[in-house]
Amino acid sequence: AALLARRYNCPVVPAFCVRESDGGLTLKFEPMLNLVKTADPRADLQANIRIMTRAIEKAIEAYPEQWLWLHKRWKRHYPHLYPEDVARRNRRRKKRKVQIQPI
């Protein structure tokens, strides 16, 4: 999102669904984010990702009971947190090596 916003000069407006006690959903919009655009694209992306992440953090802090993260986002950076994924990846690599060997 940060790359697209920078490349196409479009606004980023945080929006979140909040589950209500009656089972309905309320869509909440936050003010448009003030993204950075300078001559250094790499620094801009890092800064803008921080800004966007902070908007997500604020929503989680406001409604922590509604937050659920299923994706193992950091499995490549912190493999010790996901030993089952490391084992699965190693099994797949072994299997691929066996299949690739010439007959």
Side-chain angles (χ1 to χ4, degrees):
L3 178 62
L4 292 173
R6 186 180 198 290
R7 184 172 290 165
Y8 298 108
N9 200 28
C10 56
V12 175
V13 178
F16 306 96
C17 284
V18 177
R19 284 186 302 275
E20 300 298 339
S21 58
D22 64 357
L25 294 172
T26 301
L27 188 56
K28 304 232 178 204
F29 290 92
E30 298 295 323
M32 183 176 74
L33 298 177
N34 295 318
L35 300 180
V36 177
K37 190 167 186 181
T38 65
D40 185 357
R42 182 174 289 265
D44 291 353
L45 287 177
Q46 289 177 344
N48 291 337
I49 289 170
R50 270 191 221 103
I51 292 167
M52 291 178 187
T53 301
R54 183 61 195 135
I56 295 168
E57 287 172 352
K58 283 173 46 179
I60 294 168
E61 288 168 0
Y63 305 98
E65 73 284 356
Q66 298 191 23
W67 178 248
L68 176 64
W69 183 270
L70 297 175
H71 177 66
K72 294 176 181 173
R73 184 175 194 164
W74 308 112
K75 65 185 175 187
R76 301 240 187 247
H77 301 285
Y78 303 101
H80 62 280
L81 295 177
Y82 307 105
E84 69 281 0
D85 286 319
V86 173
R88 185 180 311 119
R89 191 175 331 132
N90 290 338
R91 284 192 306 270
R92 287 180 182 161
R93 285 179 181 163
K94 274 186 191 176
K95 195 174 183 180
R96 252 188 255 133
K97 284 181 183 179
V98 170
Q99 292 173 354
I100 294 174
Q101 291 177 353
I103 298 174

